[in-house]
Amino acid sequence: MVLSGRESLIRLIGKRRRFLLNRHSILSDPNPNPIQVSQPDKNDDVQCPVCGRSLPGDNHHINSHLDACLSQPILTTATKRKLSQRTLLQLNFTLSNSQPKFENLSDDANNAPVLPPRNDECEEEQEELPENLEAELDSTIGATSSSSPFNSAVPEDFKPDVLGATLETFIVGRRYADDREKICAGTAISLLRDPQNVKDPNAIKVVSADSACCKSLGFLPRELAQYLSPLIDNYGLGFQGHVTSIPKHSLDIVPIQIMYQRTSDGESKYADETFECLWKNAQRVVEFASRNPPSSVKYQLNFCLMLQEVLRNNIHLLTEDEKTYMESFTLLSNDSQRLFVRLYTRKGPWFRTSSISYPEIVDTQKAVKGLAEKEYIHCIEDANQLCESEVNDILNILSVSELREIWCILLRKSGGHGIKKQHLISSLSTDADILWPQLSTMILDRTGSCIMISSKAESLMWRTERLFFLNGEQDLSSFLLVDMGKIKYPAYNCIISEPIFSNRRNLLLYEEAIEVAQIMDEALDANKIDVVLRCIKIAESCVSADLPIQYSTSESVSSIRCLFTASWVYSKVVTVGISFLEQERRYTNAINLLKLLLNVFTCDLRRGYWTLRLSVDLEHLGCIDESLQIAENGLLDTWIRAGSRMALQRRVLRLGKPPRRWKVPSFSTSALRKIPEVFVQGRPLNSELGAKNRYYNEEGKQCGVEELALYYYSGAGGGWQGVHAESDIWLTIFGLLMWDVIYANVPNVFYTRFQNAPLDFGTDRFYPARKSSIESHLQQIRDGMAEEFLIKSWETHVGTACRGVKWDCHSLDELRAVVTCVGGTCLASLCKLLAQDYRSWSSGMPDLLLWRFHGEYSGEAKLVEVKGPSDRLSEQQRAWLLLLMDCGFMIEVCKVKPL
């Protein structure tokens, strides 16, 4: 069933969860009570002077609540309490001394993971990866309000313990050594910077101090080198040491011990905060490496890193029991950790213990026992432990022959050959309540002991992934894609002053809303209409309980935070529900939901779609006057733009004819403007209704309407070069031209290491937050710098993930030709439009982009929308064409007609 908004909902849900903690309550109660969240027991409660609510007494909760509380409109008519400075400070509502976290994240997939430094108050250990596992990019800067050591205040009497300090580390990259064989315990070594290293500008060589020619023995791990290299370059530190032991194989890592050597400057340079931060981070890398030897498996290290990052940066969202439970994972044996990650990433939920075998897991039985003791898995060894509710899942691990054997015995039937596995499972499940004792015994007799991940572990690990990646589309496979070099993320700085989730209650409500969305998505797949309607009702009741949601584009976090609220998720559920109700022709119900969304979400780019659907549904019910009024009011709404505005204008012109309206709207001339058209004839290959039109061109080759039009324009149409790209080529050009603006240092837009764009990209906050830099950049584009920006971005960032940029679809020569022929003025207008409203204008662009040169450095371009015999322009396409005409582009509509 194709429903508007469902693809977006599926992306939000991500990987479906095996266990939904609130499934029973969601399906049994259409109006669930708010989740009761236990308050921290370490802080005394205080009362908010604005709303009177009881709050935890720590500064973080107080400040977060007060910011949100003061931004809410006052809805009561009672006497307002004067919010003077004294009023706000009387309960010690003071700002913390923390400053934003400022972290540089490298865009090189071969670079080491960049972990956020911690302040002195945070005792969790920082994870780093051993160097022998190459090309790792598995770090994220979490959302936390704690200060960064780069910015935090350091006591005046603090002196880093550098002189005489030793660091236990390894020599890696032995295959690059000058002499791989001649090395022995006690060999004297020294460190030598290698800034010209093409793979890592922070590279530090380990050279033999006994040799006059300083033969290279390998390199320091890049995780450690990223902190020691600036100490060597900027502070003149020198390091010497020796080899502590010899590995079995010449290419294996070599344990070493290095020590700082005093320089001529002594310690005069070591008072600044940057030095102290770098040295502390270097010590943490060494400490982590000592606890996580290089023998650890890559996916195991990735998982542990993700777990500890979430524990460190989202500590305020977890209960003490949850923290203890998650921390216990690091105490498990390597085999237990590896087995859990393996099972977590598989489909499951049940697994035969006898069939579990992985080369990196030495003792599977011991690993299972360790996980069961810590309640990470649920183990069944006896038929009495099996529940009827689990019959479908556990039957899935049986083979077809085993299922057929059980089917024949229990149902006293013969044969069964040719029956599909799912039919056998369905048949056995139907009579499971009658046959259960015997069925459970027969299952366990064939499977032996079975295990599954516990609901507690699955729920917490799902939350960990969601907090780490902040979306449902990424999971542990993102680490793998980076390891394999399939994805390379851009370089940007995480400047974080506020977390995405300010308190635990908001997180739990968000998670419950995701559960409702998943239940609805599953019900749509299974065509369970009653469950779909229940989910719509739940979402409606939750949305209606919210105040009208407003935020200013000048606010730093609120406009982004709204994307991580239960209200946002429920609004998506309701939007899909509206499309479902419209297909069921329940227009009255759809109208009520549309009015609810428009009343609650007063500052939302989806208002255009909602208003248009409301006007259309009212027309379906014969309420023409109200439908017209809704369309007219929508045109006054500044949040309704692009194709939605064009569609409403055309509705007003169609419905607002005399006698309903006598005055012609002012926009009539603009909305009804004629767009230049050309006609191309082709010999049709097919004429099936609903099928994509296919034609023969003049050379007798089969092609679509776009290829036929390209063939026409390359010859009789004017000798144009061109591509069929629609929006792709323009979004690619925008990303390349505006790269430095997109990844500029803006607070609270980069929270994780795995982002291909800032969180405010596509929102109304993107342009105001960068207005001065955008305007300056656009002026340079107008002045003819576009090609230079394009070439620089391409050569510097080619292959790096950036939203909208498709590196494989267009060559640099094609893009340079387009930029040259389009011209700086038109490019600047287009880039400004996308910067201001990327979401509204990133689709519906013309099919063809054509260009031709007039000399070596000048030319012209034309944009063409191609339509087949039965096609017509959508409102979004029409809006684009008219807007591009206003920007100075040459525009045409090419209509293909059969011969």
Side-chain angles (χ1 to χ4, degrees), residues 213-279:
C213 56
C214 294
K215 288 186 177 181
S216 172
L217 304 178
F219 294 85
L220 281 189
R222 67 177 72 240
E223 292 83 11
L224 181 58
Q226 68 175 327
Y227 297 120
L228 291 188
S229 59
L231 291 176
I232 295 173
D233 294 342
N234 302 329
Y235 297 91
L237 264 65
F239 291 89
Q240 306 234 346
H242 63 276
V243 175
T244 57
S245 63
I246 302 301
K248 293 181 180 180
H249 303 288
S250 61
L251 295 182
D252 287 350
I253 63 172
V254 179
I256 59 173
Q257 184 182 88
I258 57 175
M259 180 183 297
Y260 158 68
Q261 299 296 312
R262 182 188 295 273
T263 61
S264 58
D265 292 335
E267 298 182 38
S268 60
K269 295 183 179 180
Y270 307 156
D272 66 81
E273 299 169 8
T274 302
F275 176 89
E276 294 154 2
C277 174
L278 291 169
W279 180 250

Side-chain angles (χ1 to χ4, degrees), residues 141-423:
I141 305 302
T144 178
S145 59
S146 63
S147 60
S148 164
F150 286 114
N151 299 308
S152 60
V154 180
E156 292 181 1
D157 59 348
F158 175 83
K159 289 186 178 181
D161 186 16
V162 179
L163 195 58
T166 60
L167 300 176
E168 304 281 347
T169 183
F170 308 93
I171 302 176
V172 299
R174 288 280 292 149
R175 61 181 178 275
Y176 303 113
D178 294 334
D179 191 344
R180 302 176 185 174
E181 302 297 334
K182 294 182 180 180
I183 188 172
C184 57
T187 299
I189 59 172
S190 59
L191 303 186
L192 181 65
R193 280 281 286 117
D194 184 14
Q196 304 303 318
N197 191 301
V198 294
K199 291 190 174 182
D200 183 9
N202 293 320
I204 299 178
K205 283 185 179 181
V206 181
V207 298
S208 173
D210 297 334
S211 173
C213 56
C214 294
K215 288 186 177 181
S216 172
L217 304 178
F219 294 85
L220 281 189
R222 67 177 72 240
E223 292 83 11
L224 181 58
Q226 68 175 327
Y227 297 120
L228 291 188
S229 59
L231 291 176
I232 295 173
D233 294 342
N234 302 329
Y235 297 91
L237 264 65
F239 291 89
Q240 306 234 346
H242 63 276
V243 175
T244 57
S245 63
I246 302 301
K248 293 181 180 180
H249 303 288
S250 61
L251 295 182
D252 287 350
I253 63 172
V254 179
I256 59 173
Q257 184 182 88
I258 57 175
M259 180 183 297
Y260 158 68
Q261 299 296 312
R262 182 188 295 273
T263 61
S264 58
D265 292 335
E267 298 182 38
S268 60
K269 295 183 179 180
Y270 307 156
D272 66 81
E273 299 169 8
T274 302
F275 176 89
E276 294 154 2
C277 174
L278 291 169
W279 180 250
K280 284 187 287 185
N281 279 322
Q283 290 178 311
R284 291 187 185 115
V285 170
V286 171
E287 185 179 356
F288 176 78
S290 67
R291 293 186 294 104
N292 297 270
S295 60
S296 298
V297 179
K298 192 73 167 183
Y299 65 78
Q300 175 191 359
L301 289 168
N302 291 340
F303 190 86
C304 289
L305 173 66
M306 180 180 70
L307 202 64
Q308 293 202 11
E309 284 294 298
V310 171
L311 278 170
R312 177 168 61 249
N313 298 323
N314 298 278
I315 200 73
H316 63 290
L317 302 177
L318 304 171
T319 64
E320 290 299 324
D321 287 342
E322 289 171 343
K323 286 184 283 186
T324 302
Y325 183 78
M326 293 171 67
E327 288 167 352
S328 69
F329 185 84
T330 60
L331 304 178
L332 295 171
S333 66
N334 281 333
D335 280 353
S336 292
Q337 290 184 14
R338 294 166 189 171
L339 179 59
F340 178 83
V341 179
R342 283 283 196 176
L343 297 181
Y344 180 75
T345 53
R346 287 179 58 181
K347 183 177 179 180
W350 284 99
F351 307 93
R352 299 189 196 203
T353 306
S354 59
S355 66
I356 297 175
S357 176
Y358 298 104
E360 71 273 17
I361 299 177
V362 179
D363 191 337
T364 301
Q365 294 297 328
K366 190 174 181 180
V368 168
K369 183 179 179 181
L371 289 171
E373 288 176 353
K374 296 294 185 180
E375 299 182 358
Y376 279 92
I377 63 171
H378 177 47
C379 185
I380 289 181
E381 298 179 344
D382 187 87
N384 295 327
Q385 297 175 282
L386 197 59
C387 300
E388 284 187 50
S389 60
E390 299 166 339
V391 63
N392 268 335
D393 290 331
I394 203 162
L395 282 173
N396 266 300
I397 67 175
L398 294 172
S399 66
V400 175
S401 60
E402 290 171 332
L403 286 168
R404 189 185 303 119
E405 182 183 358
I406 295 175
W407 182 80
C408 292
I409 295 173
L410 290 182
L411 301 182
R412 294 181 175 83
K413 296 181 180 180
S414 60
H417 296 283
I419 302 178
K420 293 183 178 180
K421 181 175 183 178
Q422 290 306 317
H423 291 162

